[in-house]
Amino acid sequence: MAGASPPTPPPPPGGRRRLRDDGLRTATSGEQTKVEDIVQEIFNACKTNHHASQFVLHREKHFHYLKRGLRQLTEAYECLDASRPWLCYWILHSLELLDEPIPQSVASDVCQFLSHCQSPQGGFGGGPGQHPHLAPTYAAVNALCIIGTEEAFGVIDRKKLLEYLHSLKQPDGSFLMHAGGEVDVRSAYCATSVASLTNILTPALFAGTAEWIARCQNWEGGIGGVPGMEAHGGYTFCGMAALVILKKEYLLNLRSLLRWVTSRQMCFEGGFQGRCNKLVDGCYSFWQAGLLPLLHRALHARGDTALSMERWMFDQLALQEYILLCCQCPAGGLLDKPGKSRDFYHTCYCLSGLAIAQHFGSGDLHHEVVLGGPENRLQATHPVYNIAPEKVARAVMHFLQQPVPSLEPAAATN
């Protein structure tokens, strides 16, 4: 019929809301629309099939992908030669989330390899013989805590680690990532994380650190890499987690932070973006969603009576749906978004975010929300350290039995 309006498209599944660009198409709105088109195809196919089995975590395929990676990597990973402790951590943590045991021989081999990555100056480098750096130091300590044996704990030279952290400490409370390197919120988190796990956290080491992190919260509500920078999911998690360790979350505007992070869950895809006006990315399933348990705890400590005692403050089912439908590689491993390649980084953080979305609270307040069959259930992860809660407890109890190393006056004042 002449002049008739085009047929109204069917509503998106679950009442999800697609981007409305108000008729003004930009480069970023065009990219967002492309992603939504691909995701809508996947959602529509799932809805047409009417099979609950669409929501399946392909555990066996992921396990084989991870198991191979722990022993042998292709030439494509040559670019990550300076990130080898990270590869150990990403794979070991993914396996523990899948509740797959690490063979003792493999665990021992990892311990020996990481011992070769430890620098005589303290801390760990990205590979044997490489200069120490706080990022692989964090990854190595987490990997060793996941293994959790006497051999693993014995690898860490706590006195040298404490000296190394002091050598990176800056007068304003921040930390360098490595000698002569950059300063940002990642370094504060890496330092607080390894120090708290290994019982070398001292008031002198972290004097001024919490206040410096608080200055990184900007007008958006999230946290940037340094004061004055744009809020970013990775930096925001690092800053908030470091403040939780230091017991100074109250220095942040928590409600502004809550508003920012909950706004990062995409209305249509269900996953999270890292920054305002960016595309969804599976890795932010942890970096952003992992903030919500930390915020929940901080607001509960303030006596906020509006908090649920059964759910986090984001759409847990929508996030699980995005990960299960859009982030799994058919051959095993997980990825950023449809069309991207799998890798161990995204496998680790997609699974970590899935675990956060499945588990609320702990102890008597523990509630589970698992999309799909019970076989999709992952083990819980600690929202501060992103390793299993029982592994955190084991490491903390082990190192609490050892005194904090004493330092020479020169090292303590660096």
Side-chain angles (χ1 to χ4, degrees):
M1 184 185 300
S5 300
T8 303
R16 297 168 185 269
R17 191 170 70 253
R18 290 198 57 154
L19 173 72
R20 297 177 62 181
D21 63 9
D22 298 323
L24 181 63
R25 190 174 178 86
T26 65
T28 53
S29 71
E31 290 299 314
Q32 176 63 28
T33 299
K34 287 179 187 176
V35 171
E36 290 182 0
D37 287 343
I38 296 169
V39 170
Q40 180 146 33
E41 286 184 23
I42 295 170
F43 286 166
N44 286 347
C46 175
K47 193 175 182 182
T48 302
N49 288 338
H50 298 294
H51 288 311
S53 60
Q54 293 291 318
F55 300 112
V56 174
L57 179 66
H58 303 303
R59 307 179 72 100
E60 199 67 23
K61 292 180 179 179
H62 301 324
F63 167 65
H64 287 298
Y65 169 65
L66 294 161
K67 183 181 176 184
R68 285 195 306 271
L70 203 52
R71 282 298 193 187
Q72 186 69 42
L73 294 173
T74 66
E75 292 179 357
Y77 280 88
E78 186 178 358
C79 61
L80 291 178
D81 182 61
S83 300
R84 292 167 75 184
W86 278 110
L87 289 163
C88 293
Y89 163 62
W90 294 331
I91 294 173
L92 290 175
H93 181 50
S94 298
L95 289 170
E96 73 169 348
L97 289 172
L98 292 167
D99 201 22
E100 294 288 352
I102 313 297
Q104 186 175 351
S105 61
V106 174
S108 185
D109 287 348
V110 173
C111 292
Q112 291 180 44
F113 170 72
L114 291 175
S115 72
H116 293 305
C117 296
Q118 190 164 214
S119 168
Q121 304 161 291
F124 293 79
Q130 297 184 25
H131 292 300
H133 189 290
L134 270 179
T137 296
Y138 164 86
V141 169
N142 266 12
L144 291 166
C145 288
I146 290 170
I147 293 171
T149 60
E150 290 292 329
E151 179 186 13
F153 294 143
V155 169
I156 303 168
D157 187 330
R158 296 168 61 246
K159 182 173 182 179
K160 285 294 184 182
L161 177 57
L162 182 55
E163 290 175 358
Y164 178 61
L165 295 180
H166 271 287
S167 75
L168 301 177
K169 177 71 181 300
Q170 300 301 291
D172 63 359
S174 65
F175 285 81
L176 300 173
M177 285 300 292
H178 60 93
E182 74 276 23
V183 163
D184 61 51
V185 173
R186 291 175 304 154
S187 53
Y189 169 60
C190 291
T192 53
S193 178
V194 300
S196 58
L197 285 171
T198 61
N199 189 31
I200 58 171
L201 193 156
T202 65
L205 178 58
F206 292 103
T209 300
E211 291 74 16
W212 182 83
I213 294 171
R215 292 200 296 276
C216 295
Q217 185 176 27
N218 74 358
W219 61 269
E220 298 173 83
I223 294 173
V226 294
M229 295 297 287
E230 179 185 13
H232 182 285
Y235 292 129
T236 302
F237 173 84
C238 288
M240 181 65 181
L243 289 174
V244 169
I245 292 170
L246 297 173
K247 298 181 172 59
K248 292 191 176 180
E249 310 97 299
Y250 60 84
L251 292 177
L252 295 176
N253 183 332
L254 296 176
R255 291 203 169 272
S256 178
L257 174 53
L258 177 63
R259 187 182 311 113
W260 179 83
V261 67
T262 51
S263 298
R264 301 284 72 77
Q265 186 168 22
M266 307 301 280
C267 297
F268 185 75
E269 303 93 306
F272 282 83
Q273 61 184 179
R275 290 178 282 162
C276 182
N277 209 37
K278 294 293 184 178
L279 301 176
V280 68
D281 185 333
C283 73
Y284 292 110
S285 302
F286 176 77
W287 297 122
Q288 299 284 34
L291 277 162
L292 275 305
L294 305 183
L295 275 165
H296 212 101
R297 175 185 177 278
L299 291 169
H300 184 263
R302 283 188 171 187
D304 193 320
T305 57
L307 293 169
S308 168
M309 289 295 104
E310 295 183 355
R311 299 286 187 274
W312 302 127
M313 290 178 282
F314 71 96
D315 191 332
Q316 293 167 243
L317 288 176
L319 178 58
Q320 292 182 58
E321 191 170 331
Y322 175 71
I323 295 170
L324 293 173
L325 293 181
C326 301
C327 295
Q328 295 192 87
C329 175
L334 290 98
L335 39 92
D336 165 350
K337 61 177 68 65
K340 297 289 187 178
S341 300
R342 66 181 179 177
D343 58 61
F344 295 110
Y345 168 83
H346 283 92
T347 300
C348 172
Y349 291 109
C350 284
L351 290 176
S352 299
L354 186 59
I356 292 288
Q358 289 179 349
H359 297 272
F360 173 89
S362 59
D364 292 339
L365 287 178
H366 183 243
H367 292 274
E368 294 184 3
V369 182
V370 178
L371 182 64
E375 63 276 7
N376 285 355
R377 181 187 182 275
L378 295 175
Q379 297 299 301
T381 192
H382 195 293
V384 173
Y385 301 98
N386 201 24
I387 62 178
E390 61 271 18
K391 301 293 180 64
V392 174
R394 183 184 301 175
V396 168
M397 291 305 297
H398 174 86
F399 289 113
L400 276 176
Q401 296 172 27
Q402 304 176 27
V404 177
S406 58
L407 298 183
E408 301 298 325
T413 55
N414 278 345

